[in-house]
Amino acid sequence: MSELTLSGRSRIAGVMGWPVAHSRSPRLHGYWLRTHGIDGAYIPLPVRPEQFAIALRALPMLGFAGVNVTVPHKEAALAAVNRSDAAARRIGAVNTIVIMPDGTLDGRNSDGFGFEENLRAAIPSWSPTTGPAVILGAGGAARAIAVSLLEGGAPEIRLVNRTIERAERLSREIGGPFRIYSWSARTSALADAALLVNTTTLGMSGQPALELPLDRLPTTAVVNDIVYSPLETALLATAKGRGNATVDGLGMLLHQARPGFAAWFGVEPTVTPELRRFVLEAPG
Ligand SMILES: NC(=O)c1ccc[n+]([C@@H]2O[C@H](COP(=O)([O-])OP(=O)(O)OC[C@H]3O[C@@H](n4cnc5c(N)ncnc54)[C@H](OP(=O)(O)O)[C@@H]3O)[C@@H](O)[C@H]2O)c1
């Protein structure tokens, strides 16, 4: 990679979050900036929730090309932008903001795109139309994945969540062929499923384990864990051991970053094994 040197014409983007120190996005975008020799920077922007709207409004005045928005600002970003795309509105959150030449803020959501591209990159024959999908969790990531699956033609989405009201709200707000399962009934959701996705925090380093016997899951089902720390979660290891195709969660993070980078810096970046290694080398 070439050395990074900024000029007075540098394009600037970043990630707004609170906290933001754990984010791998500066390393990810920094890799692409250097490999493409772009005169630009992507910086972490720690912004408190109560100051988010003010900080966002300042970006056009500071000459930013745009930002990513992460926890806890994604829903507030939808309300704060001047325009949003259909995916962002259906998900109820914005993760990518592009600052237009007239200084207005264009809000988009690329989490569903990242999810789908990750599955397609890992398993080129994968299609959401194959059969019922099981989503564990009903938080922000689950919303983006549900919208992506529905737009891809999934015939049925089985939502399993500890707080059943949250799953019901997701189903009501997004609309589609949802079936809701309580957490205690989670194994029954697995019968005849074509896809199982974990979007809960369970199984993540420092979090409780995900306890889910897979006996009822067909071995033809694809299993995806969007938790990527550790990269091979216990869910993925168990699924692999019984013959299911498995996909880890790092690729979703990498692919969701592509549309923002292309919009801010004018180059379509690619996700490569070298990029995966580079991002994984960062302390978690
Ligand atoms: N790979 C990627 O690119 C990517 C992108 C986004 C997120 N993620 C990861 O996905 C995970 C979820 O993110 P999010 O933004 O959707 O978070 P979120 O909105 O806070 O949702 C968390 C989900 O986990 C469930 N949960 C938490 N503790 C639980 C427990 N003890 N038992 C059962 N369920 C439990 C919650 O259930 P309740 O509703 O009952 O609280 C909820 O469904 C995180 O680990 C995040 O790092 C990865």
Side-chain angles (χ1 to χ4, degrees):
M1 276 189 284
S2 61
E3 286 300 310
L4 172 66
T5 308
L6 297 180
S7 77
R9 295 176 193 280
S10 296
R11 305 271 298 164
I12 308 296
V15 54
M16 282 189 170
W18 185 262
V20 81
H22 67 281
S23 173
R24 291 172 197 247
S25 293
R27 192 169 170 89
L28 157 57
H29 286 272
Y31 176 92
W32 281 333
L33 286 168
R34 286 196 296 278
T35 50
H36 291 287
I38 292 171
D39 180 12
Y42 181 102
I43 57 178
L45 296 163
V47 176
R48 291 176 183 277
E50 61 274 19
Q51 291 167 343
F52 175 69
I54 302 170
L56 202 58
R57 290 271 152 236
L59 293 178
M61 295 173 237
L62 294 168
F64 272 67
V67 284
N68 281 127
V69 177
T70 188
V71 180
H73 303 314
K74 289 186 184 186
E75 288 81 18
L78 178 65
V81 293
N82 301 97
R83 274 176 310 283
S84 52
D85 67 10
R89 288 195 299 276
R90 199 165 181 207
I91 295 164
V94 155
N95 78 336
T96 305
I97 295 177
V98 179
I99 296 167
M100 306 309 281
D102 64 359
T104 56
L105 305 174
D106 209 56
R108 307 169 187 181
N109 195 310
S110 63
D111 281 335
F113 170 85
F115 161 77
E116 192 181 333
E117 287 288 295
N118 183 35
L119 280 182
R120 285 197 201 287
I123 305 174
S125 62
W126 177 77
S127 164
T129 59
T130 309
V134 179
I135 300 179
L136 305 176
R143 292 179 76 96
I145 289 170
V147 168
S148 162
L149 289 171
L150 288 174
E151 288 179 354
E156 180 177 308
I157 297 184
R158 301 175 183 166
L159 272 182
V160 185
N161 201 45
R162 176 182 58 177
T163 310
I164 200 112
E165 296 78 20
R166 204 170 177 196
E168 285 166 353
R169 193 168 70 238
L170 188 161
S171 154
R172 201 171 49 245
E173 289 176 0
I174 291 177
F178 287 106
R179 283 179 66 184
I180 293 168
Y181 291 74
S182 67
W183 192 249
S184 57
R186 60 195 180 281
T187 57
S188 59
L190 303 179
D192 309 326
L195 175 70
L196 168 63
V197 190
N198 175 41
T199 78
T200 71
T201 49
L202 297 174
M204 195 174 167
S205 313
Q207 297 291 324
L210 169 61
E211 283 164 21
L212 181 68
L214 296 181
D215 315 304
R216 297 181 74 173
L217 184 73
T219 50
T220 48
V222 171
V223 179
N224 174 214
D225 200 333
I226 72 162
V227 166
Y228 54 82
S229 179
L231 196 56
E232 185 173 82
T233 60
L235 171 67
L236 293 182
T238 306
K240 196 185 280 180
R242 64 195 291 281
N244 290 93
T246 59
V247 183
D248 70 51
L250 182 63
M252 177 174 166
L253 176 79
L254 305 182
H255 284 283
Q256 66 74 33
R258 285 168 39 205
F261 189 90
W264 305 320
F265 300 113
V267 173
E268 292 283 348
T270 52
V271 171
T272 60
E274 292 72 30
L275 173 66
R276 276 178 66 93
R277 273 197 294 279
F278 184 77
V279 171
L280 278 175
E281 279 166 15

